[in-house]
Amino acid sequence: MSEHDHAAPEHAAHEHHEELSFWRKYVFSTDHKMIGIQYSVTGLLFLFFGFCLMMLMRWQLAYPNQPLPFLGWLFGEDRMPGGIMLPEFYNQLGAMHGTIMVFLGVVPLAVGGFGNFVVPLQIGAPDMAFPRLNMLSYQCYFVGGVVMLSSFFVPQGAAQSGWTSYPPLAEVNPFWGQTFWLVGMLFLIFSSLLGAVNFITTIIQLRAEGLTFFRLPVFVWAQFVTAFLLLLAFPPLQAAGVFQLMDMVADTSFFMPEGLVVSGQLASGEGAARAGGGSPILWQHLFWFLAHPEVYVLILPGLGIVAEIVANNTRKPLWGYKPIVYSLLALGFLSFIVWAHHMFLTGMGSTMSAFFQTTTMIISIPSVVILTALILSLWGGSIRFTVPMLFALAFLPMFGIGGLTGLPLGLTAPDIHLHDTYYVIGHFHYVVAPGTLFALFAGIYYWYPKATGRRMSTLLGHLHFWPSLVFMNGIFFPMLIQGLAGMQRRLADGGASYGHSQEVIWLHQVISFSAWGLALAQLPFVVNFFASLRSPKTAGENPWHATTIEWAAPSPPPHGNFATVPAAYRDPYEYSVPGEAEDYLPQFRPAEGAAAPAAVPA
Amino acid sequence: MSDAHAHAHEIDVDHHVRIYMRVFAALAVLTVITVAVAYLHLTTAAAVALALFIATIKGSLVACYFMHLISEKKLIYVVMVVTVLFFFFELLIPTISESINIHAR
Amino acid sequence: MSAAAIPYTVEPRPDTGLNNVKIGIWLFLASEVMLFGALFAGYILLRVGDPGFGHGSEELSIPMAFVNTLVLITSSVTMVMAWASCMRRDLGKFKLYMGLTVALGGCFMVIKYFEYTAKFHHGIFPSTSTFMAIYFTLTGLHAAHVLAGMIVNGYFWLPGAKMWETNWQQFTNRVETSGLFWHFVDLVWIFLFPVLYLLPVPYAHP
């Protein structure tokens, strides 16, 4: 990742290059590649931390209400008296695991990391439209992350009411942890908003000559739609966060209903500290208005990455490029009108429930179109089982399981039985973990040569992939079974006190051992990632023989990205073109005898 | 580019300024009307409708003329139309679903 | 990296007809529409759902808010005149109008200060009722946006005006952009004013 590597003799983009100080180059950088790396590294560290939180939870769930060796000593008598995990501590781990994975891990890596690094390169731009805004976005994210992490150390610990922070429970206790959570969210949301503005403007305005919208790589389309989701869906959560913060610090009653009694005392109403009259449902509406589009934010970049890798490793164009693009747009639009399927059990009434059930069923159509197109893209392909392709291939059935298990949840009747059970946890983790996370790993293996100029070890890649695939299923498939048996989520003892859970409780140990196995399976990846940084820079510009514009830049690209400003001369996935000598025809290679590229049409 | 362009703009600017002044006058008058109708003792529904109607006219004047939306490019329109659509959804669904509830009780 | 290296920062892109900053600010305003939409959604739901929402609006000062409305509308005019002065290459007029815009924004904030302190003096706080909660939160967030706009405008009025010499076109664009934000803040108040101050009470006094 050395910025000293000016591979190209001329620099079309800028007139001078002064050596930047360490701080300007690595910490206060406005270069999209450096910011992308900052987001990626920070995101990966948070993913690791969130994973650790989960492994602590899994230990408790495998051996509920028993003293856990070493952890008791580590966390002290406050959190684990006599080595037995307090439910309050378990709930902190749970709430923060979700929050950190979603807002500090996956989205920053998928959007902030991959989006920032790849999108400008793929559209042939020298940087993002607003480089300083980009830097500010990262810094807001960083501050938000610090605030979130520090919430573990405040009196009574971190937020304990799930990543969903439903009032009244969230507002009752703990004061400091929940307040820190809210302040952290304000920073994170602001960071995302600035990023979204940057992405949309960049993709519209900075496309290279000849790169029309329908010649864009699917990855860019995915990031484009994702940015719109972030832009328009996050503000309601910002508003809700402000409301809840006011409830916390100014004793308002936005979400605190009349006559609420907590531990035998009137918490809101006549004579209490709070006036009452608020609506807990208001929080749920505003929260899920964001949080449903948010799950599409979690999956869309991954879908984009898989599309790129599938095209590249089948050596043929993607099947159904236009249906995929239209489906991405439809998915983005529809994701705004399905949110209350998370609220079927709040007593909304059958009219509202029927409406949201209908939109939810409709939104499965574009998802299926995209998945089908990706699967059909394999047909007749010359499949290369590179490490990125292994992860991309695994993504397909895993995302399929995730999507299919969502259907009973989107239908009101089965949701009565399945809501808030382990089935839900199994469903969404299938989509995010062996779904998105596998796609992100695929992306790391795929673009690592571009970012560093070096190749990762294939052997270590296999050692990472195969156990990961096995253990992912070992963790999340049993959860579907547990949920069908009725085992509820967010129980510190894993359902041990409920009769209906007894038959499936033993699965907790299967899951926990799979989780620890999954942790071990990541070691080859970590070793690979760092060790490969020391290998010689032999990747070259286009080691995968790919067709999109990022592979025209040197590896790693210098400041300004391209030696000469690139242009697009054809569609993005021209593989195995009849009559061509090679099995790929890059988008950026001029046609034989062609003069100027196509002018930039609307 | 600059001088010819600036000159062309100067002609436009005078025209724009005249419009700004007229819009200003309209906004001031409408503000007075807004307050006046509040004392009319209408039913709640009528009062809400009237207040929002007048506010929408004022808002449209600000958007169309001060923010130049009336002569803006198609892309901006598309973004804002989609936004306004989601805006209404977000604004109304929570209350609609709650009022169905309230009536059901 | 110099701004000139990024295309269409100042010059419009041929097919979209827009420069980057214009798109950027409208996108940001779109997110602000959603933000205030959520706040208004809260207002509506609480008003419909809480019998105690009540007579809060009767405790608000209509005259002060009426004056504030005129203040903001006037500041929108001075803002757009500041931009027009840029287009006419009249630095003096620009400084005058931009200064007026900042001053009027300050006037708004001062009146708001008196409004708030009068409430606190009478023992009325956000915690007093759901109406007061939404009133203080809505107007408070709006005031925060006014303050942000004042800071940006203040920057262009004084230190930022240096760009007039080096890159007049980009400076004018920036003034227009800041103006768009300022008009939006005015637009929000145009809705806030009648909704909070003028709409009749939904329920009778307890």
Side-chain angles (χ1 to χ4, degrees):
Chain A
M1 273 163 272
S2 165
E3 292 289 323
H4 294 282
D5 213 4
H6 294 288
E10 308 118 67
H11 301 271
H14 50 271
E15 300 80 32
H16 61 102
H17 33 133
E18 31 181 68
E19 255 320 298
L20 295 171
S21 71
F22 171 85
W23 290 101
R24 284 296 315 278
K25 197 190 293 186
Y26 293 110
V27 182
F28 293 103
S29 173
T30 57
D31 185 305
H32 72 100
K33 299 181 293 296
M34 183 53 61
I35 294 174
I37 289 168
Q38 288 173 335
Y39 265 109
S40 299
V41 170
T42 315
L44 283 167
L45 286 172
F46 274 119
L47 282 176
F48 171 70
F49 184 74
F51 196 18
C52 290
L53 295 180
M54 177 272 287
M55 285 196 284
L56 294 172
M57 292 165 69
R58 290 309 328 173
W59 200 339
Q60 160 72 3
L61 290 172
Y63 304 105
N65 301 325
Q66 294 175 38
L68 306 176
F70 174 66
L71 294 186
W73 167 82
L74 183 62
F75 292 112
E77 287 298 301
D78 285 342
R79 300 185 181 98
M80 297 186 65
I84 299 181
M85 191 181 278
L86 284 177
E88 289 84 348
F89 184 50
Y90 178 87
N91 291 339
Q92 285 178 50
L93 298 173
M96 295 310 284
H97 164 78
T99 305
I100 288 173
M101 289 307 223
V102 172
F103 294 113
L104 297 179
V106 176
V107 178
L109 177 57
V111 182
F114 282 101
N116 262 315
F117 195 97
V118 176
V119 167
L121 287 168
Q122 269 194 346
I123 63 174
D127 205 309
M128 298 284 273
F130 308 116
R132 285 172 301 182
L133 205 68
N134 211 8
M135 178 177 76
L136 183 63
S137 298
Y138 174 76
Q139 289 167 347
C140 282
Y141 158 58
F142 188 82
V143 170
V146 168
V147 171
M148 284 288 187
L149 283 181
S150 47
S151 72
F152 277 107
F153 301 103
V154 298
Q156 293 180 307
Q160 291 166 28
S161 307
W163 77 292
T164 50
S165 283
Y166 281 9
L169 182 65
E171 297 185 16
V172 165
N173 194 57
F175 174 79
W176 284 110
Q178 188 64 26
T179 305
F180 267 59
W181 187 92
L182 292 164
V183 172
M185 285 307 297
L186 291 181
F187 277 99
L188 295 175
I189 295 173
F190 193 60
S191 160
S192 285
L193 288 176
L194 297 180
V197 169
N198 223 340
F199 273 93
I200 297 171
T201 310
T202 302
I203 292 171
I204 292 176
Q205 295 283 97
L206 300 187
R207 284 166 294 131
E209 231 186 306
L211 193 59
T212 60
F213 270 101
F214 280 94
R215 281 179 174 177
L216 283 174
V218 171
F219 179 73
V220 178
W221 272 111
Q223 292 281 357
F224 188 58
V225 174
T226 302
F228 268 106
L229 297 182
L230 291 171
L231 183 77
L232 299 177
F234 252 132
L237 183 59
Q238 191 83 313
V242 170
F243 283 160
Q244 200 179 105
L245 199 55
M246 287 291 284
D247 275 8
M248 300 300 287
V249 304
D251 276 338
T252 51
S253 304
F254 282 108
F255 306 123
M256 295 296 258
E258 173 72 29
L260 180 71
V261 174
V262 176
S263 303
Q265 286 197 314
L266 188 69
S268 54
E270 193 85 33
R274 289 196 177 96
S279 168
I281 294 291
L282 178 61
W283 167 269
Q284 291 195 33
H285 277 295
L286 293 177
F287 177 84
W288 287 113
F289 189 89
L290 160 84
H292 192 83
E294 178 72 14
V295 312
Y296 289 96
V297 169
L298 292 174
I299 192 62
L300 249 42
L303 280 171
I305 294 175
V306 169
E308 297 301 306
I309 293 173
V310 163
N312 177 247
N313 287 286
T314 52
R315 314 310 289 167
K316 62 192 277 284
L318 275 182
W319 190 94
Y321 173 87
K322 277 212 173 141
I324 292 178
V325 170
Y326 287 125
S327 295
L328 286 171
L329 292 168
L331 213 53
F333 181 82
L334 288 168
S335 72
F336 279 95
I337 56 175
V338 299
W339 81 88
H341 65 227
H342 300 272
M343 297 169 62
F344 281 146
L345 266 63
T346 58
M348 284 191 301
S350 44
T351 316
M352 273 292 143
S353 298
F355 172 78
F356 281 103
Q357 173 182 261
T358 309
T359 53
T360 304
M361 288 302 113
I362 295 175
I363 205 177
S364 64
I365 297 173
S367 303
V368 171
V369 169
I370 296 174
L371 184 62
T372 308
L374 290 173
I375 292 173
L376 285 175
S377 297
L378 303 172
W379 184 269
S382 221
I383 300 183
R384 306 185 311 188
F385 290 95
T386 59
V387 176
M389 188 57 164
L390 289 176
F391 279 101
L393 284 173
F395 171 91
L396 299 173
M398 296 294 101
F399 175 65
I401 294 175
L404 287 172
T405 52
L407 289 172
L409 295 171
L411 292 165
T412 53
D415 190 55
I416 294 174
H417 182 66
L418 296 172
H419 175 74
D420 248 6
T421 63
Y422 264 80
Y423 184 90
V424 181
I425 308 183
H427 153 69
F428 69 70
H429 277 96
Y430 256 103
V431 191
V432 185
T436 295
L437 226 40
F438 270 20
L440 297 179
F441 280 131
I444 293 176
Y445 285 101
Y446 186 62
W447 278 303
Y448 187 96
K450 177 55 59 188
T452 63
R454 296 150 170 111
R455 312 194 69 143
M456 290 177 87
S457 148
T458 305
L459 172 64
L460 286 175
H462 278 257
L463 286 176
H464 175 210
F465 171 73
W466 294 104
S468 293
L469 180 61
V470 170
F471 288 126
M472 282 285 192
N473 283 283
I475 297 172
F476 300 117
F477 198 83
M479 288 188 184
L480 298 173
I481 298 171
Q482 289 180 319
L484 283 166
M487 181 187 280
Q488 290 98 330
R489 56 191 291 201
R490 296 190 174 126
L491 295 175
D493 67 356
S497 11
Y498 287 94
H500 60 256
S501 305
Q502 297 312 309
E503 270 190 26
V504 291
I505 267 217
W506 65 277
L507 287 170
H508 274 313
Q509 297 191 333
V510 172
I511 297 172
S512 294
F513 279 99
S514 299
W516 298 321
L518 184 66
L520 289 175
Q522 306 315 299
L523 289 176
F525 171 71
V526 176
V527 169
N528 201 353
F529 191 89
F530 288 106
S532 304
L533 283 176
R534 286 128 169 275
S535 60
K537 275 193 191 173
T538 57
E541 280 184 3
N542 195 352
W544 302 113
H545 293 178
T547 52
T548 43
I549 298 180
E550 77 269 32
W551 302 103
S555 302
H559 201 45
N561 294 339
F562 301 96
T564 49
V565 179
Y569 298 90
R570 56 188 65 79
D571 289 344
Y573 306 115
E574 294 294 285
Y575 290 100
S576 302
V577 179
E580 287 292 320
E582 293 171 306
D583 72 345
Y584 69 110
L585 191 51
Q587 209 173 16
F588 50 86
R589 186 183 298 160
E592 294 261 327
V600 179
Chain B
M1 167 247 149
S2 353
D3 274 355
H5 207 186
H7 188 62
H9 272 246
E10 265 185 57
I11 302 171
D12 277 342
V13 175
D14 286 339
H15 175 62
H16 278 153
V17 170
R18 278 195 291 277
I19 295 185
Y20 298 150
M21 292 306 150
R22 284 181 208 154
V23 169
F24 178 35
L27 287 171
V29 166
L30 284 168
T31 306
V32 172
I33 293 178
T34 307
V35 179
V37 301
Y39 292 100
L40 276 181
H41 297 296
L42 300 170
T43 63
T44 304
V48 170
L50 189 55
L52 289 178
F53 177 68
I54 299 175
T56 305
I57 295 180
K58 290 169 72 180
S60 303
L61 286 172
V62 171
C64 288
Y65 296 106
F66 288 167
M67 297 171 84
H68 305 136
L69 201 53
I70 204 161
S71 51
E72 216 16 293
K73 302 289 180 292
K74 187 174 122 182
L75 172 67
I76 305 288
Y77 275 132
V78 170
V79 170
M80 292 319 287
V81 163
V82 171
T83 304
V84 167
L85 221 93
F86 291 142
F87 167 83
F88 278 110
F89 226 79
E90 162 195 44
L91 193 66
L92 299 172
I93 293 290
T95 308
I96 293 175
S97 94
E98 273 299 273
S99 37
I100 293 178
N101 244 343
I102 291 172
H103 285 301
R105 283 192 211 122
Chain C
M1 147 166 294
S2 64
I6 303 204
Y8 311 123
T9 303
V10 180
E11 293 301 304
R13 183 178 154 110
D15 57 353
T16 59
L18 295 158
N19 62 47
N20 301 344
V21 192
K22 185 69 91 68
I23 295 188
I25 191 68
W26 275 107
L27 290 171
F28 181 68
L29 292 181
S31 81
E32 295 275 82
V33 167
M34 298 305 286
L35 176 72
F36 282 98
L39 297 170
F40 278 109
Y43 171 89
I44 296 175
L45 198 146
L46 291 173
R47 181 188 162 110
V48 166
D50 179 16
F53 193 75
H55 45 283
S57 63
E58 294 174 1
E59 290 164 47
L60 298 180
S61 163
I62 295 180
M64 284 175 115
F66 173 67
V67 169
N68 254 353
T69 309
L70 293 175
V71 163
L72 271 188
I73 290 174
T74 311
S75 75
S76 261
V77 180
T78 55
M79 179 78 230
V80 82
M81 288 307 298
W83 171 76
S85 308
C86 281
M87 294 295 279
R88 287 166 165 166
R89 294 202 113 129
D90 189 338
L91 183 61
K93 283 273 165 59
F94 162 74
K95 290 255 178 182
L96 169 68
Y97 283 117
M98 194 53 127
L100 275 174
T101 308
V102 177
L104 286 166
C107 188
F108 180 91
M109 296 300 283
V110 166
I111 295 179
K112 255 274 92 16
Y113 169 81
F114 282 121
E115 262 195 276
Y116 278 12
T117 48
K119 295 273 165 322
F120 299 151
H121 202 61
H122 284 105
I124 299 172
F125 296 96
S127 53
T128 305
S129 66
T130 43
F131 177 84
M132 279 305 159
I134 195 84
Y135 163 75
F136 276 107
T137 307
L138 256 174
T139 56
L141 270 171
H142 177 261
H145 282 79
V146 172
L147 189 63
M150 278 172 63
I151 293 174
V152 173
N153 283 342
Y155 171 75
F156 289 133
W157 183 42
L158 293 174
K162 285 194 207 76
M163 199 189 251
W164 182 282
E165 312 293 329
T166 51
N167 193 338
W168 166 83
Q169 183 65 63
Q170 187 171 18
F171 182 75
T172 305
N173 287 349
R174 286 184 166 188
V175 170
E176 187 186 7
T177 303
S178 181
L180 285 172
F181 180 78
W182 190 256
H183 298 309
F184 179 76
V185 171
D186 179 23
L187 205 155
V188 171
W189 182 260
I190 283 173
F191 282 91
L192 266 183
F193 171 51
V195 167
L196 287 177
Y197 291 83
L198 300 178
L199 288 186
V201 182
Y203 300 94
H205 288 231

